[in-house]
Amino acid sequence: ETIVVTAPGVYAVEVANSFGCVASDTVEVFYLAPSALDLGPDAAFCFGDTLILDAGIGYVDYVWNDNSTLQTLPVFATGTYFVTVNDSIGCQATDSIDIVVNTLPVVDLGPDASFCGGTALTLDAGGPFVNYLWNDGSQLQTLEVTTANTYSVLVTDSNGCAGTDEIVLIVNPLVDLGPDLIVC
């Protein structure tokens, strides 16, 4: 009465009823390749950035886990995202992707400050971070300063995420009455 079809081809059936009537029919089964839907490998990006997931062109409809129905989905938060698509011949495919949003590194040079002239002050960007870039081009964790200025540092962590901070330093001048004098 039934047959399980596992390969493409032409299938025929012949039936007879109790009165001796015979009928036959054929059906051709085609193999349709599964949809090539692929959201790609799991991914990570930095907080403040946006990742655009793209299910690809050629589908009749798209349904994302948030019930949106566009080909693309902007992602802002950590989570598992999935999409179900239907093509023009009724085949359906689903794919999912895990996304991680990494926090930005926190760097704190402290509040704006002043220090005495003739001395040096060491600014420390903290860490450990993978890269440091001060506004003067130096690339160490610390920066020794002796002049008034606005100093900033850009740090990058192991996830490739960047954080920045700046500090305004004022140098208090030393009291200088000048050279010694002899007065008659």
Side-chain angles (χ1 to χ4, degrees):
E1 182 175 314
T2 63
I3 184 172
V4 176
V5 175
T6 59
V10 176
Y11 293 86
V13 64
E14 186 175 289
V15 295
N17 65 14
S18 59
F19 300 110
C21 297
V22 177
S24 64
D25 196 9
T26 61
V27 64
E28 185 170 3
V29 176
F30 297 96
Y31 175 76
L32 301 175
S35 175
L37 177 64
D38 184 12
L39 293 175
D42 294 344
F45 63 95
C46 300
F47 180 80
D49 292 341
T50 302
L51 178 66
I52 305 295
L53 299 178
D54 190 342
I57 59 173
Y59 300 107
V60 174
D61 61 81
Y62 305 81
V63 179
W64 294 90
N65 54 295
D66 68 350
N67 291 321
S68 62
T69 58
L70 299 176
Q71 176 184 326
T72 60
L73 178 72
V75 174
F76 305 98
T78 296
T80 299
Y81 295 85
F82 62 88
V83 63
T84 300
V85 297
N86 290 298
D87 64 16
S88 61
I89 55 176
C91 292
Q92 187 177 78
T94 299
D95 193 23
S96 66
I97 185 171
D98 290 324
I99 302 295
V100 173
V101 178
N102 295 308
T103 59
L104 300 180
V106 177
V107 57
D108 185 8
L109 296 176
D112 294 348
S114 61
F115 65 102
C116 297
T119 61
L121 183 66
T122 301
L123 301 177
D124 189 342
F129 298 112
V130 174
N131 292 310
Y132 299 84
L133 181 60
W134 294 88
N135 59 321
D136 71 348
S138 62
Q139 298 177 352
L140 299 175
Q141 179 177 333
T142 59
L143 180 68
E144 189 170 297
V145 298
T146 57
T147 59
N149 202 347
T150 299
Y151 295 92
S152 63
V153 64
L154 174 70
V155 300
T156 307
D157 67 12
S158 60
N159 295 317
C161 298
T164 188
D165 194 24
E166 74 176 17
I167 186 171
V168 176
L169 296 179
I170 299 170
V171 175
N172 295 322
L174 295 174
V175 174
D176 184 2
L177 298 177
D180 292 344
L181 296 175
I182 298 176
V183 179
C184 295

